[in-house]
C-alpha cells in the first residue's frame, strides 16, 4: 500500500511539473471591448467610446449620474 501511494505521489509530482511549465505565452487580442469602451494594446489613459454611455460619480458611497457621453462617428 505504501509503495502504491509513493508511486502515485511521484507520478502526480512529475505530471504537475510537466504540465505546469509551458513555454507558450498567453496572448490577448489587439483590441478589447470593456463595457462600452474600446481598449487597444499598449493604450494608456484614453478610451474610444463605441456607443452612448452614461458617466457616474461616487457621492457618499453611491453612484450618482454625472453626464452622458455621445458617440460620434
Amino acid at each position: 500500500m505504501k509503495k502504491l501511494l509513493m508511486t502515485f505521489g511521484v507520478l502526480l509530482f512529475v505530471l504537475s511539473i510537466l504540465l505546469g511549465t509551458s513555454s507558450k505565452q498567453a496572448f490577448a487580442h489587439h483590441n478589447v471591448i470593456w463595457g462600452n469602451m474600446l481598449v487597444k494594446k499598449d493604450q494608456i489613459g484614453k478610451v474610444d467610446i463605441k456607443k452612448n454611455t452614461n458617466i457616474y460619480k461616487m457621492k457618499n458611497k453611491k453612484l450618482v449620474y454625472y453626464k452622458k457621453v455621445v458617440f460620434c462617428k
Side-chain angles (χ1 to χ4, degrees):
M1 184 67 175
K2 276 188 175 184
K3 189 175 182 180
L4 182 62
L5 275 164
M6 182 63 102
T7 306
F8 180 71
V10 170
L11 181 63
L12 186 63
F13 177 73
V14 169
L15 284 175
S16 66
I17 295 294
L18 291 175
L19 297 177
T21 57
S22 176
S23 61
K24 294 180 183 178
Q25 292 184 357
F27 69 95
H29 297 282
H30 293 283
N31 296 331
V32 176
I33 300 294
W34 184 51
N36 295 334
M37 299 175 289
L38 175 65
V39 183
K40 296 181 181 179
K41 185 178 178 183
D42 299 325
Q43 180 174 337
I44 298 174
K46 179 185 170 193
V47 293
D48 296 328
I49 306 297
K50 301 308 279 181
K51 64 181 182 179
N52 295 344
T53 305
N54 293 332
I55 305 295
Y56 295 88
K57 280 189 171 184
M58 290 290 289
K59 279 191 179 178
N60 299 326
K61 297 184 181 181
K62 292 185 179 184
L63 287 175
V64 178
Y65 175 78
Y66 176 62
K67 65 180 177 179
K68 178 172 248 169
V69 177
V70 180
F71 171 66
C72 297
K73 215 173 193 184

